[in-house]
Amino acid sequence: MKILAVCRGSAERLPGKSYRTGIFKHAVAGGVMIDAEGLVGNAICNRKHHGGVDQAVYLEGSASLDWWASQFGHPVEPGTFGENLVIEGLDNRDVAVGDRFMTGGVILEATSCRIPCATFAARMNDPKFVKRYTRAARPGIYCRVISNGIVEAGMPVDHRPFSGARVTMPEMMETFGRRLSAADRSRYLAAPIHYKLRDLLEAQA
C-alpha cells in the first residue's frame, strides 16, 4: 500500500448554507505535517462533531472510492468525501478499530467509522446521500495520531491489523445509535475505540 493523495481544505460555505465547513478537501503536493490534531493547515469548522484527538485524520481506501466511482459513473477525485489521506489498495470494509497505518515516522490508529451527516449530503449535492452512504456499508476511517511526522503522496503504508477482537468499520456503522448486547459492549470496550463512544458504552454497563 501507499499514500495515493494527501488532502487539505479551507473553510468554505456550501451553496445555500450560512455556515462554513471544512469538508471541501483537495490533494496537495509535497510534504504535510501531521500532529496530534491532524494535518497542519487543514480547516476544521465544527469541532463539536469533527476533529479532536480521536478524529484527527480521516482515511479513505482507494478500493472504496473506486467502488463509488462505479456507482456514480465517473471518477471520484481525492478529497471529494472530505478525506485527508487516500490509501492505495485499501478497502474500508477490511479495517477494524485498533488497526494501525504506518508511513515514515507517522503512526495512525483507527478509532471509529465515518457517520454521514447533512453537510456531507449537501457536499455531494444529493439529499438522499446519507441513506445511500449508510446502505453501502463502506464507511471511511477516523484515526488518532500515535506518532507525528510528515506525509506526502507516494509514501509506502504498512497496514497492521489490531491483534484483539475485531470491530470493523461496517459493524460500527450498523450498530451506531443502538444499544449493544453485553457481549458486544465488552468486545467494543476491549478495542481502542473513540473516547466518546467509550464513555457512552461505559455508561450503559
Side-chain angles (χ1 to χ4, degrees), residues 87-170:
I87 307 299
E88 187 176 63
L90 180 68
D91 188 323
N92 297 357
R93 298 173 299 177
D94 296 335
V95 178
V97 174
D99 285 11
R100 290 192 172 188
F101 298 89
M102 310 174 75
T103 180
V106 175
I107 302 175
L108 306 176
E109 183 176 73
T111 63
S112 56
C113 71
R114 195 248 189 87
I115 301 298
C117 62
T119 297
F120 189 23
R123 163 70 177 96
M124 301 305 294
N125 196 29
D126 180 358
K128 298 181 179 179
F129 197 71
V130 167
K131 290 184 178 180
R132 187 177 182 184
Y133 189 86
T134 301
R135 285 197 305 269
R138 300 166 183 264
I141 305 124
Y142 284 116
C143 297
R144 63 171 62 94
V145 179
I146 303 299
S147 179
N148 301 352
I150 295 174
V151 297
E152 64 179 309
M155 290 176 63
V157 177
D158 181 14
H159 175 201
R160 297 190 180 181
F162 181 57
S163 60
R166 293 184 67 73
V167 178
T168 67
M169 296 299 109

Side-chain angles (χ1 to χ4, degrees), residues 2-188:
K2 68 178 182 180
I3 298 176
L4 188 62
V6 179
C7 306
R8 286 190 305 199
S10 56
E12 299 182 38
R13 279 194 175 91
L14 283 161
K17 304 293 184 181
S18 61
Y19 60 88
R20 292 180 181 274
T21 173
I23 198 170
F24 293 96
K25 300 285 193 291
H26 306 281
V28 297
V32 177
M33 181 68 188
I34 289 181
D35 62 18
E37 291 290 329
L39 275 68
V40 173
N42 180 60
I44 300 172
C45 297
N46 184 351
R47 289 188 173 270
K48 180 179 179 181
H49 300 293
H50 302 288
V53 294
D54 278 1
Q55 255 178 230
V57 178
Y58 175 48
L59 309 181
E60 284 282 354
S62 68
S64 296
L65 295 181
D66 288 347
W67 182 86
W68 278 108
S70 73
Q71 302 300 301
F72 297 151
H74 59 77
V76 177
E77 294 298 320
T80 297
F81 283 7
E83 69 273 15
N84 299 123
L85 300 180
V86 180
I87 307 299
E88 187 176 63
L90 180 68
D91 188 323
N92 297 357
R93 298 173 299 177
D94 296 335
V95 178
V97 174
D99 285 11
R100 290 192 172 188
F101 298 89
M102 310 174 75
T103 180
V106 175
I107 302 175
L108 306 176
E109 183 176 73
T111 63
S112 56
C113 71
R114 195 248 189 87
I115 301 298
C117 62
T119 297
F120 189 23
R123 163 70 177 96
M124 301 305 294
N125 196 29
D126 180 358
K128 298 181 179 179
F129 197 71
V130 167
K131 290 184 178 180
R132 187 177 182 184
Y133 189 86
T134 301
R135 285 197 305 269
R138 300 166 183 264
I141 305 124
Y142 284 116
C143 297
R144 63 171 62 94
V145 179
I146 303 299
S147 179
N148 301 352
I150 295 174
V151 297
E152 64 179 309
M155 290 176 63
V157 177
D158 181 14
H159 175 201
R160 297 190 180 181
F162 181 57
S163 60
R166 293 184 67 73
V167 178
T168 67
M169 296 299 109
E171 181 185 7
M172 289 195 83
M173 172 177 273
E174 183 181 2
T175 60
F176 178 74
R178 300 181 184 179
R179 189 175 183 88
L180 299 178
S181 67
D184 283 339
R185 186 168 60 249
S186 294
R187 178 164 54 89
Y188 273 53

